[in-house]
Amino acid sequence: MAVSPVQLLRVDMSRMSVESEPLPEAWTLLGGRALSSRILLEECDATCDPLGPENLLIFAGGVLGGTAAPTSGRLSVGAKSPLTGGIKEANAGGNPAQHLARLGYRAIVVSGQPADPDARFGLEVDEQGARLVAADELKGLWTYATCERLAELYSKQASFICCGPAGELRLGGASVACTDQESRHPTRHAGRGGMGAVMGAKGLKFVAVEPGKTRLRRAAQHEEFLALGKKFGRAYRDGPQPFAKGTVVGVQFANVIHSLPTRNRIAGQSSHVDTLDGNLIYESLAERGGGMHNCLTGCVVQCSNVVHDAEGNYKTSALEFETLALLGANCDVEHWDDVADLDRLCDELGLDTIETGAAIAILMEAGRMKWGDVDSMKALFYEIAEGSELGRAIGGGAVATGRYTGHHRVPAVKGQAIPAWDPRPLKATGATYATSAMGADHTAGLLLETGMPVEDCAQHSQEKQIVNAICDGSGFCEFIGPTPDDIRIFYGFMIGREVSREEIADLGWQVLEDEWEFNRRAGFTVADDVLPECMLTDPVGPASDVFDLPAEVLADVKVRKPLRPELFSIKAAG
Ligand code: SF4
């Protein structure tokens, strides 16, 4: 099958067929989350069983994937979520999206389901085309072992996407893992919403992408695009570089603003803040080895850490703030070294660290496990891999664990656990959690301003959700902080015509509309745009904050307002 840019790859797991087709011209500026949400709205029955053959699983690179735009190779994974029952997109680093784009593919759309639920398959994508292959030998393998085996089968340049045992067991907390650019480790996860369970339900154990001799994609205005890319990368390097030590340094700040979830969010500050402090992790790199790196080719931010144990052996990678918060403070775990072990176990099974930490904290508050009991926590992962009743509850996420234990305090929105940043002091972030079609998700629109006036919360949440949706469609990592102006100017050089501010704002808004419409068809109503009871009644911090934004404010998030001009603010692309 010949490849000509830009293509969609259609994989039907019922018919065992693989076909490519040109990306519709109207979708030229749709990539990543924008593309997966549009395909789901147009082609997927919103009332379908998320784990059945009618659901679609979409792997989509951004519009700028595979180009010289710095830090623009994220991979979006989209589907109807088994966790929420609504639309979902989670994105990850690693090189698969870069490689797919260089081969000419904007997205892979996986439909159907194999007749034999015990069969496993892999998808190979290379310069010759794409094909399904048997992968029964990888059944039940943990993700590191899976990628070690794949590394024996494919070239050194190949990148891999896979699910772990949690995905194969179709658990709601299952993630999709991507290998990072330096090693074969499956450390970059599209964590949220159970995308790994959808992959497992499709019988798809892995995708292997061989870039071969492909080169970076060329833009229509190539020289201008390259010059812009250089300027954009330099602007980040010359700036304050807030992620130079990784996201883990957010622990102290979150603690100060009472937004470090502690003991199933009974408190917003942890007595272990100094031993969970991300600065210790950064300092350990000099003594133990490891270091900071870029998880995908072309990233200039390099926020990703490689963490070693006290003997200098590799332990895990990309130990993130959210993981320290949810598997650390929220479970009352004392030391970051233990959280690193738990992070590795989540990566090995293919589990979202946020959902899993939230689930274990519920188990602990329900009295079924001692707070901070790391050994028992580790044992839980083997229960998950074996698929025991307890393991399925934990791997199924916060709501499943609440159901299993009968515990009433379940901090989740639309079925998805609330991430670290707490909606009680951060009310505009709470507005995002309540109104995003994807449930509680900080990547949908995080605002770290405490004490924001109530009358500003709807506008700020909406704006942030639009800006993030624009970014998620481009392939840029949010950590390089592209503004809508940056992205529209890159797009303009990419396609050879000017993209206006109105057009880029419309693109972002349309993503939100597509997602809300999918959820409406799935049966969601305004009654679902709420935070759980415990966030409304249980105070946190010295101001006894509860989430108290009125329903009118939350409804107003979905009423379109113009983006304020300063939000476009050309940062690097001027
Ligand atoms: S900024 Fe961090 S998460 Fe984003 S692409 Fe770079 S290394 Fe990966």
Side-chain angles (χ1 to χ4, degrees):
M1 183 178 47
V3 174
S4 61
V6 172
Q7 303 275 307
L8 287 179
L9 199 54
R10 299 236 178 222
V11 180
D12 186 329
M13 301 301 295
S14 297
R15 294 192 295 124
M16 288 289 131
S17 65
V18 182
E19 292 168 1
S20 72
E21 64 186 37
L23 184 80
E25 204 177 326
W27 292 359
T28 300
L29 291 183
L30 297 189
R33 173 180 164 195
L35 182 58
S36 72
S37 294
R38 177 63 56 84
I39 293 172
L40 284 164
L41 182 64
E42 293 197 359
E43 301 182 14
C44 179
D45 177 357
T47 63
C48 75
D49 173 1
L51 300 177
E54 292 178 328
N55 199 4
L56 299 178
L57 177 66
I58 299 157
F59 302 101
V63 173
L64 301 173
T67 70
T71 324
S72 67
R74 304 282 295 182
L75 180 77
S76 286
V77 185
K80 177 172 177 176
S81 164
L83 197 68
T84 68
I87 198 165
K88 190 73 192 91
E89 181 267 358
N91 65 63
N95 268 0
Q98 297 281 57
H99 290 165
L100 284 169
R102 283 163 49 185
L103 288 164
Y105 298 113
R106 179 69 57 83
I108 304 172
V109 183
V110 186
S111 58
Q113 200 163 47
D116 178 1
D118 290 327
R120 299 290 181 272
F121 298 92
L123 177 70
E124 297 176 343
V125 189
D126 54 32
E127 287 175 290
Q128 281 70 50
R131 66 207 68 84
L132 286 164
V133 295
D136 287 340
E137 66 158 321
L138 302 178
K139 187 175 170 184
L141 277 192
W142 293 25
T143 62
Y144 275 69
T146 298
C147 290
E148 275 166 29
R149 179 68 185 127
L150 292 175
E152 293 166 5
L153 299 174
Y154 298 95
S155 79
K156 277 190 183 146
Q157 290 75 39
S159 54
F160 308 121
I161 305 167
C162 71
C163 65
E168 292 180 73
L169 288 164
R170 307 175 184 197
L171 303 178
S175 61
V176 168
C178 296
T179 47
D180 59 31
Q181 73 131 350
E182 287 178 344
S183 68
R184 294 312 179 92
H185 294 149
T187 59
R188 313 306 312 189
H189 287 246
R192 309 237 60 202
M195 297 298 95
V198 181
M199 192 169 176
K202 301 263 176 235
L204 191 62
K205 179 68 177 172
F206 75 88
V207 179
V209 192
E210 288 275 16
K213 294 193 173 70
T214 55
R215 300 196 180 282
L216 290 176
R217 288 171 65 210
R218 283 179 69 88
Q221 291 172 256
H222 188 58
E223 298 305 323
E224 292 90 336
F225 189 96
L226 290 182
L228 178 62
K230 278 190 188 141
K231 195 172 171 188
F232 185 65
R234 203 179 314 120
Y236 180 82
R237 286 196 203 91
D238 292 347
Q241 300 201 17
F243 299 107
K245 295 182 180 178
T247 60
V248 286
V249 294
V251 168
Q252 292 285 2
F253 171 68
N255 199 63
V256 167
I257 63 168
H258 296 267
S259 193
L260 187 63
T262 299
R263 292 191 172 214
N264 198 27
R265 297 184 181 273
I266 285 174
Q269 288 189 324
S270 169
S271 57
H272 306 314
V273 64
D274 290 331
T275 42
L276 291 172
D277 183 356
N279 287 295
L280 297 179
I281 301 171
Y282 185 75
E283 286 160 18
S284 83
L285 303 177
E287 187 190 321
R288 296 180 174 191
M292 305 303 294
H293 77 153
N294 45 325
C295 76
L296 55 84
T297 303
C299 169
V300 296
V301 178
Q302 304 194 336
C303 82
S304 175
N305 53 24
V306 177
V307 176
H308 286 189
D309 65 17
E311 283 73 49
N313 301 309
Y314 174 86
K315 187 189 285 214
T316 194
S317 179
L319 181 52
E320 306 273 10
F321 161 73
E322 287 285 341
T323 304
L324 285 167
L326 271 299
L327 279 167
N330 204 38
C331 296
D332 216 19
V333 170
E334 188 173 344
H335 200 279
W336 69 265
D337 235 336
D338 288 322
V339 183
D341 290 338
L342 297 165
D343 178 67
R344 171 67 182 264
L345 284 165
C346 277
D347 285 357
E348 286 274 18
L349 266 61
L351 280 167
D352 176 19
T353 58
I354 296 174
E355 198 67 41
T356 307
I360 297 173
I362 290 167
L363 188 77
M364 288 172 165
E365 198 184 14
R368 305 285 188 99
M369 186 179 282
K370 274 196 244 156
W371 289 110
D373 182 350
V374 174
D375 289 340
S376 296
M377 289 174 78
K378 288 181 181 173
L380 269 181
F381 287 88
Y382 295 88
E383 295 241 11
I384 297 170
E386 286 161 13
S388 74
E389 195 186 350
L390 171 61
R392 283 177 182 272
I394 300 296
V399 171
T401 303
R403 213 177 293 125
Y404 174 79
T405 57
H407 191 61
H408 65 290
R409 287 187 77 257
V410 178
V413 182
K414 298 187 180 79
Q416 180 166 265
I418 294 177
W421 300 105
D422 199 290
R424 291 167 289 186
L426 301 169
K427 295 188 199 303
T429 292
T432 299
Y433 293 164
T435 56
S436 170
M438 297 188 289
D441 194 327
H442 61 295
T443 68
L446 177 66
L447 291 142
L448 294 179
E449 186 181 334
T450 56
M452 185 181 288
V454 170
E455 58 273 20
D456 291 344
C457 286
Q459 170 143 11
H460 284 243
S461 171
Q462 182 190 103
E463 286 172 342
K464 189 69 176 150
Q465 291 192 56
I466 292 172
V467 169
N468 282 22
I470 294 169
C471 181
D472 289 344
S474 69
F476 274 124
C477 182
E478 274 181 37
F479 294 156
I480 196 165
T483 67
D485 266 345
D486 291 321
I487 293 173
R488 75 179 180 83
I489 296 170
F490 270 111
Y491 280 8
F493 291 147
M494 190 72 209
I495 63 173
R497 71 160 173 82
E498 189 178 340
V499 175
S500 68
R501 284 185 165 184
E502 291 69 29
E503 193 176 357
I504 201 79
D506 286 349
L507 274 173
W509 178 253
Q510 190 61 50
V511 175
L512 304 184
E513 291 247 292
D514 287 354
E515 292 171 347
W516 287 325
E517 175 59 20
F518 184 96
N519 275 17
R520 193 189 62 72
R521 294 180 191 176
F524 285 81
T525 70
V526 69
D528 296 297
D529 289 347
V530 290
L531 296 196
E533 186 69 20
C534 56
M535 293 295 100
L536 311 183
T537 58
D538 300 1
V540 73
S544 293
D545 278 315
V546 293
F547 186 76
D548 53 4
L549 283 186
E552 314 85 78
V553 172
L554 298 181
D556 195 33
V557 175
K558 292 185 170 180
V559 178
R560 191 174 182 186
K561 301 151 198 40
L563 283 179
R564 284 171 295 150
E566 59 264 36
L567 284 167
F568 286 97
S569 66
I570 298 177
K571 218 157 121 179

